[in-house]
């Protein structure tokens, strides 16, 4: 069994939009931050690219998820019962719950995307929230998209947000609550419940000719 994960935080920036001011925050822009993490029987080493702001501030949600996700997956009863789809869903839920409690105590506003993949024998199970992407390289370099970005303008995402009393508006791009250019993420306390941490999870068979 092997697990790989990637997380990318959102960086707050200044905005003159009245909604952003009323929420005491700026628009949130994604910046690349991938976190190396030792998982089960493999080591995933990835580069780190940080924006020009406090590393501690930017990494809280991303590093929390990177540090916690493996344990949350493997200690669940669903993982022990080899129900990997359910194990990933529960791990995302527990990770979100724990981080939101910390964010509430410490006044944190950051959030992170997440892509987590479990590989067991010839099967791949992948979960994600946000717009970080999972891609499988098949034979002869054929790229197969494994995830679909969680964008606020998608009909099912827009309906979910509006059913909760929120809205989606266009400010340079489509944004949940006029702020975040994605509809799902871990963290983002001030945008709950409109920005969901519930992952999409899928499973598929791997082929011997798959490259990476």
């Amino acid at each position: 069994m092997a697990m790989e994960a990637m997380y990318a935080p959102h960086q707050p920036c200044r905005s003159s939009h009245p909604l952003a001011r009323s929420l005491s925050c700026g628009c949130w822009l994604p910046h690349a931050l991938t976190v190396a993490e030792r998982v089960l029987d493999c080591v995933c080493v990835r580069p780190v690219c940080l924006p020009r702001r406090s590393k501690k501030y930017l990494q809280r949600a991303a590093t929390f998820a990177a540090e916690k996700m493996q344990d949350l997956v493997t200690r669940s009863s669903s993982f022990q019962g080899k129900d990997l789809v359910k194990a990933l869903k529960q791990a995302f839920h527990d990770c979100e719950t724990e981080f939101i409690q910390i964010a509430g105590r410490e006044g944190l506003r950051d959030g992170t995307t997440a892509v987590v993949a479990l590989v067991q024998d010839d099967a791949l199970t992948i979960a994600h929230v946000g717009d970080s992407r999972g891609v499988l390289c098949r034979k002869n370099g054929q790229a197969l998209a494994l995830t679909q970005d969680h964008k606020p303008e998608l009909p099912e995402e827009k309906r979910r947000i509006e059913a909760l009393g929120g809205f989606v508006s266009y400010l340079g791009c489509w944004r949940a609550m006029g702020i975040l250019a994605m509809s799902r993420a871990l963290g983002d306390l001030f945008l709950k419940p409109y920005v969901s941490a519930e992952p999409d999870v899928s499973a598929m068979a791997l082929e011997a000719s798959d490259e990476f």
Side-chain angles (χ1 to χ4, degrees):
M1 171 74 72
M3 175 175 136
E4 297 191 21
M6 181 178 70
Y7 310 92
H10 327 301
Q11 179 190 13
C13 67
R14 302 181 70 147
S15 172
S16 60
H17 189 267
L19 177 62
R21 291 199 302 271
S22 69
L23 290 173
S24 299
C25 67
C27 293
W28 287 69
L29 302 177
H31 283 262
L33 169 61
T34 51
V35 182
E37 136 180 11
R38 184 179 180 88
V39 284
L40 305 179
D41 60 350
C42 74
V43 180
C44 315
V45 180
R46 301 178 183 273
V48 175
C49 177
L50 293 176
R52 295 190 301 273
R53 289 182 68 91
S54 164
K55 291 183 180 181
K56 181 179 180 181
Y57 177 81
L58 286 172
Q59 294 185 38
R60 289 299 297 273
T63 55
F64 181 86
E67 292 167 358
K68 289 285 188 175
M69 192 66 75
Q70 175 193 349
D71 182 58
L72 292 172
V73 171
T74 57
R75 78 183 185 191
S76 72
S77 58
S78 297
F79 181 83
Q80 302 303 326
K82 301 190 183 304
D83 186 341
L84 301 185
V85 171
K86 189 173 180 179
L88 283 168
K89 288 183 177 180
Q90 187 63 49
F92 271 69
H93 174 271
D94 293 346
C95 186
E96 164 82 348
T97 299
E98 290 186 30
F99 183 75
I100 287 298
Q101 291 175 349
I102 295 171
R105 289 196 304 268
E106 301 183 16
L108 303 176
R109 300 180 303 169
D110 61 314
T112 184
T113 68
V115 179
V116 180
L118 299 176
V119 180
Q120 184 174 34
D121 300 326
D122 59 350
L124 170 68
T125 308
I126 185 167
H128 85 289
V129 292
D131 56 7
S132 291
R133 297 174 180 177
V135 179
L136 176 66
C137 185
R138 312 222 85 153
K139 184 178 181 181
N140 298 322
Q142 178 186 1
L144 176 65
L146 302 177
T147 60
Q148 180 183 25
D149 294 354
H150 289 131
K151 293 296 188 182
E153 67 269 26
L154 292 175
E156 62 273 22
E157 295 295 287
K158 188 172 185 287
R159 283 194 298 268
R160 177 183 60 78
I161 292 169
E162 291 176 343
L164 291 168
F167 64 91
V168 174
S169 60
Y170 190 86
L171 295 169
C173 64
W174 290 104
R175 299 177 183 272
M177 304 303 291
I179 300 294
L180 192 64
M182 65 188 77
S183 55
R184 301 194 201 184
L186 296 171
D188 294 312
L189 173 62
F190 73 100
L191 287 175
K192 300 303 177 186
Y194 316 110
V195 173
S196 171
E198 181 178 353
D200 282 338
V201 186
S202 60
M204 62 178 295
L206 296 174
E207 302 174 359
S209 58
D210 289 338
E211 298 181 7
F212 61 89

